[in-house]
């Protein structure tokens, strides 16, 4: 099931973010680099509830959070129409259409909230992620050279965007 986050999801979201960061090869934070706490997520959820151009959509399976898609809206008048996205899906639930459903849910929310532009970055080698984003209608707008250092190697990221 895809739905908007609730304050009561803070612990589940913290656990999911920690799990995804420990499993995923291409997240910004390395395994163990940070520990997200339920209290930090509760504060994030409360802050997002106050912003008309930000949200978190979650995927739930058997009453457990298995995926999230955060939209962080611009804070200046000139970019309030855009939202930067961060997505994570637990490894055992990838390749099952959850990402596609998260993006569809987010797009419906974005249209209701006058969001005109969605954007994200992804490591070029993240073939599954790039395929998901393209399937969701994102296009590659540019390349961020040597953007991240992963396992001692500089890697490039794509800037990707979608206009609604």
């Amino acid at each position: 099931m895809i739905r908007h986050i609730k304050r009561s999801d803070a612990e589940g979201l913290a656990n999911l973010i920690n799990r995804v960061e420990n499993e995923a090869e291409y997240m910004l934070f390395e395994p163990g680099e940070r520990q997200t706490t339920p209290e930090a997520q509760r504060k994030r959820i409360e802050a997002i509830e106050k912003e008309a151009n930000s949200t978190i959509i979650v995927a739930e399976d058997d009453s457990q959070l298995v995926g999230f898609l955060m939209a962080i809206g611009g804070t200046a008048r000139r970019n309030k129409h855009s939202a930067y996205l961060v997505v994570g899906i637990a490894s055992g639930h990838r390749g099952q259409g959850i990402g596609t459903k998260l993006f569809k849910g987010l797009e419906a929310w974005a249209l209701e909230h006058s969001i005109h532009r969605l954007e994200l970055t992804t490591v070029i080698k993240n073939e599954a992620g790039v395929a998901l984003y393209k399937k969701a209608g994102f296009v590659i707008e540019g390349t961020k050279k040597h953007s991240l250092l992963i396992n001692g190697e500089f890697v490039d990221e794509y800037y990707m965007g979608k206009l609604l």
Side-chain angles (χ1 to χ4, degrees), residues 6-18 35-46:
K6 300 179 291 199
R7 289 183 189 188
S8 59
D9 292 319
E11 185 173 354
L13 182 61
N15 291 338
L16 177 61
I17 290 171
N18 287 328
Q35 287 300 310
T36 300
T37 65
E39 183 57 28
Q41 291 313 309
R42 192 170 293 105
K43 287 179 182 176
R44 174 180 276 175
I45 293 166
E46 289 171 1

Side-chain angles (χ1 to χ4, degrees), residues 21 27-28 34 37 55 60 73 89 95 102 118 120 137 139 155:
E21 287 180 352
M27 295 298 282
L28 176 61
R34 73 170 175 172
T37 65
T55 194
E60 190 176 44
I89 300 169
L102 285 168
L118 301 174
L120 56 85
V139 297
V155 297

Side-chain angles (χ1 to χ4, degrees), residues 23-164:
E23 297 170 343
E25 190 174 355
Y26 300 118
M27 295 298 282
L28 176 61
F29 290 96
E30 293 179 357
E33 185 174 355
R34 73 170 175 172
Q35 287 300 310
T36 300
T37 65
E39 183 57 28
Q41 291 313 309
R42 192 170 293 105
K43 287 179 182 176
R44 174 180 276 175
I45 293 166
E46 289 171 1
I48 280 178
E49 287 174 343
K50 296 174 187 169
E51 299 174 17
N53 64 344
S54 297
T55 194
I56 302 174
I57 296 181
V58 293
E60 190 176 44
D61 183 35
D62 256 350
S63 300
Q64 185 175 16
L65 297 186
V66 296
F68 67 88
L69 180 51
M70 294 182 189
I72 313 303
T75 57
R77 272 182 275 184
R78 292 184 175 186
N79 73 348
K80 280 197 174 295
H81 68 281
S82 69
Y84 182 82
L85 308 182
V86 177
V87 63
I89 300 169
S91 63
H93 293 82
R94 294 181 194 145
Q96 299 175 14
I98 291 172
T100 298
K101 290 176 185 173
L102 285 168
F103 275 98
K104 284 183 181 174
L106 180 77
E107 187 169 331
W109 167 86
L111 291 169
E112 290 173 13
H113 289 82
S114 302
I115 302 296
H116 177 67
R117 175 181 169 78
L118 301 174
E119 57 191 31
L120 56 85
T121 58
T122 186
V123 173
I124 290 174
K125 293 179 180 182
N126 182 2
E127 294 174 9
V130 172
L132 169 63
Y133 309 142
K134 285 182 175 179
K135 181 178 178 183
F138 286 75
V139 297
I140 296 169
E141 297 178 334
T143 302
K144 196 174 171 183
K145 295 296 213 176
H146 291 204
S147 176
L148 301 174
L149 181 64
I150 299 177
N151 297 324
E153 175 189 359
F154 288 106
V155 297
D156 299 343
E157 283 185 298
Y158 286 135
Y159 283 109
M160 297 184 78
K162 179 177 182 175
L163 301 180
L164 303 175

